[in-house]
Amino acid sequence: MTVRYFDVILPLPLAQCFTYQCPEDWGEQVQVGARVVVPFGAKKYYTALVVAVDTKPTEGYAIKQAISLLDKTPIVYPYQLSLWAWISSYYLCTIGEVYKAALPSGLKLESESIIAYNRDYVATGSHSSTEQMFLDILQQEKTCSLIQLGKLTNYKNPLLVVNRLLEKGAIQMRESLRSGYKPKMESWIRIAPSYRSDDALEQLMPCLGRAKKQESLLLRLLELINQLEDSSSATHQTVILDPQHYRLGAELRSTEIKRDVLLTKLDCSSAILSALVKRGVLEMIQYKQVKMLETVEQQEISSLSIPQKQSFDEINVLWNDKTVVLLHGVTSSGKTEIYLQLIQDALSRGEQVLYLLPEIALTTQITTRVRRVFGNRFGVYHSKFTDTQRVEIWNKQLSDEPYDVILGVRSSLFLPFKKLGLIIIDEEHEASYKQVDPAPRYQARDTAIMLAHQLNAKILLGSATPSIESYYNAVQGKYGLVNLATRFEEAELPQVKILDTKELRRTKQMTGLFAPELLSSIRHTLADKKQVILFKNRRGFSPNVMCSTCGWVPTCIHCDVSMTYHKYNNRLTCHYCGYSIDKPTACPNCGSKDIEPKGFGTERLEQVLQENVPEVRTARMDLDTTRSRDSYERIISSFENDETDVLIGTQMVTKGLDFERVKIVGIIHADMMLNYPDFRAHERAYQLMSQVAGRAGRKGGNGVVMIQTNSPEESVFQQVQAHDYVGMYQGEIQEREMWKYPPFSRLIKVVMKHRDPRLLEQQARWFGNQLQHYLGPRVLGPQAPPVAKVQTLYIQQLLIKVELNIPIKRIRETLLYVQQQLNQSPSGRAIKIYFDVDPA
């Protein structure tokens, strides 16, 4: 029999494929896109993905045999493998990193170290108290994973103790496959087949004579089953249980009832029920839990206004010649209604649609709106879902009845689609579409465009403030461009006022965080039963605390940054690594107890507002208040239902949220958005302010936006005031052309990290010199970023400006070659290095 081989990729940061041998009993079963469990290294096992079959193994290497075939049909389509290869090549990462990011964790079995007590071990010496504690736990628990052992012993790194016990032969270690996917199961109860007849029940009852509670439960269960079966055939049904809580059997007394519903209905304990199951009188069956979708009232798509219909028609005409069309529509112009109509048209052609949003917060509002139109043809996919939920959606997309419309964030690009015809990217300018860490550091907007080219699908980019790059491509004719310049139902754009806080402080009119005019407007707005949004792009109570006597500021022990004060828990927290300490009561430098917060964030803004307007009902939307799975929904729902008067937040509140009753938007300390060493600072400031301004006056009534700034002369504030996107674009595009920034070049950032700053600086200079030898003046740096140390690692960066006519493949080869040279020395190998293409 001919020996067959196949190539796989592993969910590890490895660039190459690996060849394995098919077991003889697999025959022709293995297919490209299927998962197999393979041994890798000395003792590890991983879920690999088959990328080629019947390959010829490289001579001179011992080929290992695969362990298990997990899929008889592919779970990844060929176009997905092609997209992964492009991501790996363009974004300068390994194919293994793309594979690991693309598939939900539950589809990637991995081996984990299992530790067991060695029953044959005879101690020849004494053990430390720590070692004895580990041995006592292992004798009691039989086996433990390394993670479990760490939790049981409260050791963050139990491996050191485990290694000592391994050397003594006291314990054994083996590898066990672990799956992250565990579908939720439901328990159902039914009468066992041997007790469904009257004769069998008559013989059973005397045996239950002493177990009166079991006898009573069985009799009440029989009565309930008879009622359910009688009601199913009756003309006038009596609703005893919700139909989803029971399944009528094909024969008498074979009806199944949900265990938890049965316990509630019959008001009995689980112990009595379990006793009848143990006796064999009842059976307990496990079924995979089917998640019931929230029922929403179905509705038709709203008819388009004349401007919307004109934009809709223009988009379809442009798609005849262009793959990508940019819809530049002002805030509240009704872009979502156009999206829904385009989705409806795509579905009528038998196509699937991917609707991308930059933030999970946006999916909260739009989910109900889209589901009302498309019902169960619509699914949601994002990172707040459990791993089980993500696996179930992946499997549904592979099934014969996939979702026709997927609403999701950037990771939903990796889902399998059978007939994808349209991709909508809302708020296309958002930096959230760029993956920062870990690899692959891909731009979801640009990756979606590549995906559309592969599948011959269409792309619609939508934004009130498009990215400079996208608008440039549209102006140059690479993309189609459609302008929607009027708000829905001809609502007016909000009036924008610029409040000079520097002058207000000079004239002593402003003593707190709010300009008098803004505070007065808030009070009048609340009196009119309208709502307010306050935007401050910094969370926490204050950016730091300082000793008023000596100027000491507490900094993170792991990062080169001051720690932010959070008053709700009276702690200082590093927003880079999460390190947290209690707020000190005295200065460790001089002993003074005069330690005061400096600056302010959303938490302090909320407190000051409540002090000035005691009757106000506030809610905060920032990273601190949105950690739980349903926090977005809760905050947004409260604001929509008029349970909250003022919503205070970071840039989360700027991103496409739609509220009817917002009249006032306040932008606090707007200058901070300009104080970033980034060529996109002006563009980003305009986008953030324009987007949050667009939340005001959306459903009739004149909205007012008040920008508090120390620098009212800055051009960006004038552009926001005039709603002048084109003016902002023209100024920015001239500067970028002058300095050769995107869209006139491509940027690649080289990031190098190490614990030793001197070694890092030395190796970064060497790396930069080597790159300059091959790439010349395109290479800038190295230099330390503004935050030069994160999580105990110091950072050096280089920036490469690449002309658009130079293939990325040439740059990739150069970077990888220099990296290979760096790795030839022990000190170079110790440097952690990665490449970030098109950094945000």
Side-chain angles (χ1 to χ4, degrees):
M1 184 176 179
T2 305
V3 178
R4 299 184 70 208
Y5 300 93
F6 56 86
D7 288 348
V8 302
I9 52 177
L10 292 160
L12 297 170
L14 301 168
Q16 70 270 39
C17 298
F18 296 86
T19 303
Y20 285 85
Q21 180 182 331
C22 280
E24 290 183 7
D25 59 347
W26 285 15
E28 302 289 327
Q29 293 182 72
V30 65
Q31 299 182 50
V32 171
R35 294 171 303 153
V36 292
V37 177
V38 298
F40 189 76
K43 295 180 180 179
K44 291 284 186 179
Y45 300 92
Y46 290 96
T47 300
L49 193 74
V50 178
V51 293
V53 294
D54 294 326
T55 55
K56 184 178 179 181
T58 305
E59 295 182 2
Y61 291 90
I63 305 299
K64 294 181 180 179
Q65 192 174 83
I67 303 297
S68 175
L69 178 63
L70 297 179
D71 307 304
K72 292 186 178 178
T73 57
I75 67 157
V76 172
Y77 295 136
Y79 85 82
Q80 291 175 279
L81 294 175
S82 176
L83 181 68
W84 294 3
W86 177 82
I87 292 173
S88 171
S89 174
Y90 184 81
Y91 289 104
L92 301 177
C93 60
T94 66
I95 190 69
E97 288 170 320
V98 183
Y99 167 38
K100 186 172 184 179
L103 254 66
S105 297
L107 293 177
K108 300 189 293 286
L109 290 165
E110 290 184 18
S111 63
E112 63 179 7
S113 297
I114 300 296
I115 303 156
Y117 180 73
N118 184 2
R119 299 294 174 187
D120 299 327
Y121 170 64
V122 178
T124 58
S126 61
H127 295 296
S128 68
S129 59
T130 305
E131 291 172 346
Q132 191 59 53
M133 177 179 65
F134 274 55
L135 289 175
D136 290 343
I137 288 172
L138 287 170
Q139 282 181 299
Q140 181 181 351
E141 298 290 331
K142 309 300 183 190
T143 60
C144 275
S145 71
L146 202 59
I147 295 172
Q148 290 170 333
L149 194 57
K151 290 179 179 177
L152 290 170
T153 59
N154 289 324
Y155 265 67
K156 291 184 178 179
N157 187 9
L159 193 58
L160 297 174
V161 183
V162 167
N163 282 335
R164 292 203 302 266
L165 292 173
L166 277 171
E167 290 172 1
K168 294 178 180 181
I171 61 174
Q172 298 170 325
M173 188 178 286
R174 58 184 171 81
E175 293 298 316
S176 171
L177 285 174
R178 170 178 57 85
S179 172
Y181 174 52
K182 293 181 181 178
K184 288 188 176 181
M185 306 299 288
E186 293 176 331
S187 297
W188 292 64
I189 299 294
R190 68 185 179 194
I191 297 174
S194 55
Y195 288 101
R196 289 177 189 168
S197 67
D198 290 338
D199 291 341
L201 287 169
E202 285 178 10
Q203 293 176 18
L204 171 66
M205 288 308 174
C207 301
L208 298 176
R210 293 184 179 179
K212 294 298 184 184
K213 291 183 179 179
Q214 293 180 33
E215 180 183 12
S216 174
L217 172 58
L218 181 58
L219 290 172
R220 285 185 290 152
L221 174 59
L222 288 167
E223 183 182 355
L224 178 59
I225 289 172
N226 286 334
Q227 289 177 348
L228 289 171
E229 291 178 337
D230 289 344
S231 68
S232 68
S233 58
T235 305
H236 301 287
Q237 295 187 18
T238 302
V239 179
I240 303 168
L241 293 177
D242 190 304
Q244 72 186 46
H245 295 152
Y246 67 88
R247 296 187 178 98
L248 288 174
E251 58 177 281
L252 191 64
R253 294 172 182 159
S254 62
T255 293
E256 299 172 359
I257 304 174
K258 272 188 183 180
R259 179 181 177 276
D260 56 345
V261 173
L262 182 63
L263 290 173
T264 303
K265 183 69 180 175
L266 300 186
D267 191 24
C268 64
S269 72
S270 59
I272 301 171
L273 191 63
S274 298
L276 286 171
V277 172
K278 192 173 182 180
R279 279 177 179 265
V281 178
L282 302 180
E283 285 184 331
M284 188 181 298
I285 313 101
Q286 296 285 325
Y287 291 112
K288 182 179 172 182
Q289 187 182 69
V290 178
K291 185 178 180 182
M292 302 299 294
L293 291 174
E294 180 186 353
T295 303
V296 294
E297 183 182 350
Q298 295 296 112
Q299 65 182 33
E300 298 293 324
I301 300 176
S302 302
S303 57
L304 300 180
S305 66
I306 294 175
Q308 287 173 329
K309 184 67 169 62
Q310 289 173 342
S311 297
F312 173 82
D313 292 338
E314 285 181 51
I315 291 167
N316 281 302
V317 169
L318 286 168
W319 271 339
N320 291 328
D321 300 316
K322 313 282 186 184
T323 298
V324 185
V325 172
L326 172 63
L327 174 59
H328 179 204
V330 297
T331 55
S332 194
S333 58
K335 294 187 289 295
T336 304
E337 297 302 325
I338 297 175
Y339 299 158
L340 294 178
Q341 189 64 61
L342 291 168
I343 292 171
Q344 183 82 295
D345 285 4
L347 297 188
S348 68
R349 297 191 296 268
E351 299 171 349
Q352 290 176 294
V353 179
L354 176 58
Y355 186 164
L356 286 181
L357 294 167
E359 287 280 353
I360 297 167
L362 285 181
T363 67
T364 300
Q365 275 203 324
I366 295 179
T367 295
T368 302
R369 194 171 176 184
V370 179
R371 184 170 286 145
R372 280 180 179 151
V373 176
F374 301 110
N376 291 339
R377 302 177 72 182
F378 162 76
V380 182
Y381 188 85
H382 56 63
S383 58
K384 284 283 184 181
F385 279 4
T386 64
D387 195 56
T388 297
Q389 289 172 311
R390 288 197 290 270
V391 170
E392 288 173 351
I393 292 173
W394 188 284
N395 288 335
K396 182 168 177 63
Q397 292 307 96
L398 293 169
S399 71
D400 294 332
E401 295 182 351
Y403 289 121
D404 293 320
V405 183
I406 288 286
L407 175 73
V409 293
R410 59 175 182 258
S411 58
S412 54
L413 272 174
F414 294 116
L415 283 170
F417 292 93
K418 293 184 177 181
K419 45 188 177 179
L420 185 62
L422 172 62
I423 304 174
I424 295 172
I425 305 178
D426 197 15
E427 310 295 347
E428 67 83 27
H429 65 278
E430 275 290 344
S432 305
Y433 281 122
K434 181 69 163 74
Q435 166 74 8
V436 178
D437 269 320
R441 296 172 178 84
Y442 65 100
Q443 221 299 346
R445 178 195 62 214
D446 300 340
T447 304
I449 291 172
M450 175 55 64
L451 174 60
H453 279 296
Q454 287 183 341
L455 298 178
N456 197 27
K458 300 300 182 184
I459 287 264
L460 180 66
L461 309 178
S463 177
T465 54
S467 65
I468 297 292
E469 291 90 338
S470 292
Y471 199 77
Y472 176 80
N473 285 333
V475 170
Q476 295 298 309
K478 183 178 179 180
Y479 301 166
L481 176 61
V482 175
N483 289 300
L484 182 57
T486 58
R487 279 187 150 188
F488 185 65
E489 295 182 346
E490 298 184 352
E492 293 183 12
L493 288 167
Q495 177 189 3
V496 179
K497 296 183 178 181
I498 301 172
L499 307 180
D500 185 351
T501 52
K502 185 178 179 180
E503 178 64 18
L504 289 170
R505 285 193 180 90
R506 189 187 68 80
T507 57
K508 297 183 179 180
Q509 298 180 60
M510 184 171 178
T511 56
L513 303 181
F514 295 99
E517 186 176 354
L518 175 56
L519 199 57
S520 174
S521 297
I522 292 173
R523 291 193 178 105
H524 283 105
T525 300
L526 300 186
D528 292 341
K529 305 299 181 184
K530 298 291 185 179
Q531 292 174 305
V532 177
I533 289 178
L534 297 178
F535 169 52
K536 166 65 177 171
N537 205 21
R538 185 185 290 274
R539 64 186 172 103
F541 189 82
S542 63
N544 54 56
V545 296
M546 178 186 290
C547 173
S548 299
T549 304
C550 69
W552 170 80
V553 174
T555 57
C556 177
I557 61 173
H558 306 300
C559 308
D560 182 23
V561 66
S562 60
M563 299 177 72
T564 301
Y565 174 50
H566 294 263
K567 189 173 183 179
Y568 76 94
N569 60 2
N570 199 37
R571 291 181 70 82
L572 299 172
T573 301
C574 173
H575 287 174
Y576 284 83
C577 72
Y579 174 70
S580 180
I581 59 171
D582 289 331
K583 181 190 173 188
T585 56
C587 174
N589 196 37
C590 69
S592 170
K593 294 187 177 181
D594 192 9
I595 298 176
E596 297 181 349
K598 297 296 179 182
F600 66 97
T602 51
E603 189 183 359
R604 188 175 181 188
L605 191 66
E606 183 178 33
Q607 177 184 300
V608 172
L609 178 64
Q610 289 171 342
E611 291 170 353
N612 283 275
V613 190
E615 71 278 10
V616 70
R617 299 171 299 171
T618 62
R620 249 188 318 125
M621 192 158 75
D622 53 32
L623 193 59
D624 297 323
T625 62
T626 57
R627 295 186 188 279
S628 64
R629 196 169 298 157
D630 63 345
S631 50
Y632 290 107
E633 290 89 341
R634 180 172 40 79
I635 294 169
I636 290 172
S637 176
S638 173
F639 198 62
E640 283 181 323
N641 296 332
D642 203 25
E643 297 167 4
T644 304
D645 300 318
V646 180
L647 181 61
I648 301 167
T650 57
Q651 54 186 298
M652 289 181 182
V653 301
T654 71
K655 299 180 179 181
L657 297 171
D658 187 10
F659 301 114
E660 294 186 2
R661 301 171 58 79
V662 174
K663 182 178 180 181
I664 298 291
V665 167
I667 301 174
I668 314 299
H669 196 190
D671 313 79
M672 190 183 72
M673 289 179 277
L674 295 171
N675 297 331
Y676 287 101
D678 186 343
F679 73 95
R680 290 193 176 96
H682 189 106
E683 175 193 7
R684 291 272 165 79
Y686 178 89
Q687 289 168 340
L688 282 171
M689 287 188 283
S690 292
Q691 288 288 339
V692 73
R695 304 313 108 203
R698 295 175 70 88
K699 302 292 181 182
N702 295 327
V704 179
V705 180
M706 297 186 180
I707 302 175
Q708 294 190 174
T709 172
N710 291 329
S711 309
E713 70 282 355
E714 287 284 349
S715 61
V716 67
F717 300 127
Q718 314 304 321
Q719 291 160 354
V720 173
Q721 187 174 42
H723 305 287
D724 186 12
Y725 171 83
V726 174
M728 184 278 295
Y729 165 80
Q730 289 173 343
E732 284 295 289
I733 205 71
Q734 289 174 7
E735 281 196 14
R736 295 196 189 182
E737 186 174 19
M738 182 187 306
W739 299 107
K740 296 296 182 286
Y741 276 105
F744 302 101
S745 67
R746 178 181 295 127
L747 299 183
I748 301 175
K749 185 163 64 176
V750 182
V751 181
M752 305 176 73
K753 298 181 179 182
H754 195 269
R755 294 180 187 276
D756 184 342
R758 278 178 285 193
L759 173 63
L760 175 65
E761 190 175 347
Q762 173 191 342
Q763 296 295 337
R765 278 201 304 269
W766 180 89
F767 199 93
N769 290 336
Q770 292 298 307
L771 284 181
Q772 286 170 354
H773 174 73
Y774 294 105
L775 301 177
R778 300 181 183 90
V779 181
L780 307 176
Q783 64 179 14
V787 179
K789 178 187 174 188
V790 175
Q791 296 181 356
T792 73
L793 296 175
Y794 291 89
I795 306 170
Q796 288 282 329
Q797 295 179 348
L798 298 102
L799 190 66
I800 306 172
K801 285 185 182 179
V802 185
E803 299 92 328
L804 297 178
N805 59 355
I806 295 180
I808 191 70
K809 182 180 178 182
R810 174 186 158 191
I811 305 299
R812 175 190 174 93
E813 289 171 352
T814 302
L815 287 168
L816 294 179
Y817 173 71
V818 176
Q819 184 183 18
Q820 188 178 16
Q821 285 186 308
L822 180 73
N823 290 338
Q824 288 177 358
S825 67
S827 58
R829 266 195 308 275
I831 303 294
K832 181 181 178 182
I833 183 170
Y834 66 81
F835 310 116
D836 189 0
V837 179
D838 301 335

